[in-house]
Amino acid sequence: MSSPTPPSPAATPVSLTERRKAATRMDIARAAAQLFVKHGLRATRAEDIAQAAGIAPRTFYRYFATKEESVAPLYAAGAQLWAEAVRQAPADLTVPQALEHAVRHTLTPGAGVSAASWEWVRTLIRLAEASPSLRKVWAEVCQAGERTLAEVLAERLTPGGDDVAGPLPARPDLRFAAAVASAAVRTAVEAWATGDAPASGPAGPAGLALRNLGALGEFPWEGCRG
């Protein structure tokens, strides 16, 4: 099985040191995922992950407190990619249209993540279902993704929001809208991961997410304009 190739996070102005740290975190995450898949979570030690990533154990612990936390960057990559796709969706789209646009551009194999990488996503989510400690990491990443999406919705629904330096604070209604949209996508990915359907087609992550979003037709998205 080839190494997972997670999507690149959204491009933001960061220092060279920050980019190197992010790259190291992702290298560790890939090494951890490979070992978890090959040997199982219980049989894998943090020292094993460090060795596979080509770093010293003390370096591993500078980046992550536990072996479970080491796969957080892989969990987060998809959420970051989707939120950024919502941000970059054409400005004339309504909120539900922007969400659907982002789903098609990030959850369809080959558009945002390769089909091979989706199989890694399936495996990592299944591991989270079987491990309370890993499930906690997954839940924290999903919660962080909701906050990011709320900021993105604030930008889309605020006149001149794109010109404001730094993230806009999200009102309670926008946080609720982001939680609803995120849940629609998260549960679709989780449902797909529990089965054996291919990543493409109506039973794939994109197909299930679009179905979930479609079921929210009565949600007052436009009322979030305030």
Side-chain angles (χ1 to χ4, degrees):
M1 183 180 291
S2 61
S3 300
T5 306
S8 300
T12 54
V14 293
S15 68
L16 179 59
T17 298
E18 290 172 328
R19 288 198 296 270
R20 286 173 175 168
K21 287 181 178 179
T24 299
R25 285 175 59 86
M26 190 58 77
D27 287 343
I28 296 172
R30 291 192 181 103
Q34 289 177 340
L35 291 175
F36 290 168
V37 170
K38 184 176 181 179
H39 302 297
L41 179 63
R42 181 174 298 180
T44 301
R45 304 174 303 163
E47 291 78 8
D48 300 324
I49 299 172
Q51 182 179 16
I55 60 174
R58 65 178 180 277
T59 303
F60 174 92
Y61 285 112
R62 282 207 298 266
Y63 287 90
F64 302 104
T66 67
K67 64 182 181 181
E68 290 84 2
E69 289 181 11
S70 65
V71 294
L74 285 176
Y75 283 147
Q80 293 169 353
L81 190 70
W82 182 60
E84 184 61 22
V86 176
R87 176 182 280 116
Q88 297 298 331
D92 60 342
L93 296 183
T94 64
V95 170
Q97 289 172 341
L99 295 173
E100 292 175 1
H101 169 91
V103 163
R104 292 190 177 93
H105 281 74
T106 57
L107 272 66
T108 301
V113 180
S114 69
S117 291
W118 270 112
E119 291 307 314
W120 279 90
V121 171
R122 192 201 302 267
T123 300
L124 289 172
I125 291 178
R126 285 180 174 178
L127 285 173
E129 287 295 320
S131 166
S133 55
L134 203 56
R135 189 160 59 248
K136 179 176 180 290
V137 174
W138 168 245
E140 289 173 349
V141 166
C142 291
Q143 188 176 48
E146 288 181 14
R147 290 194 296 268
T148 300
L149 183 60
E151 294 169 359
V152 170
L153 293 180
E155 292 175 10
R156 290 192 64 88
L157 296 175
T158 301
D162 292 340
D163 299 325
V164 178
L168 289 170
R171 304 188 313 266
D173 56 341
L174 291 179
R175 294 184 64 178
F176 178 58
V180 170
S182 296
V185 174
R186 174 182 55 78
T187 56
V189 174
E190 290 174 343
W192 167 77
T194 61
D196 298 313
S200 58
L208 294 177
L210 290 172
R211 186 185 308 169
N212 286 353
L213 289 173
L216 300 173
E218 298 302 317
F219 189 84
W221 300 108
E222 296 307 315
C224 294
R225 290 184 181 277

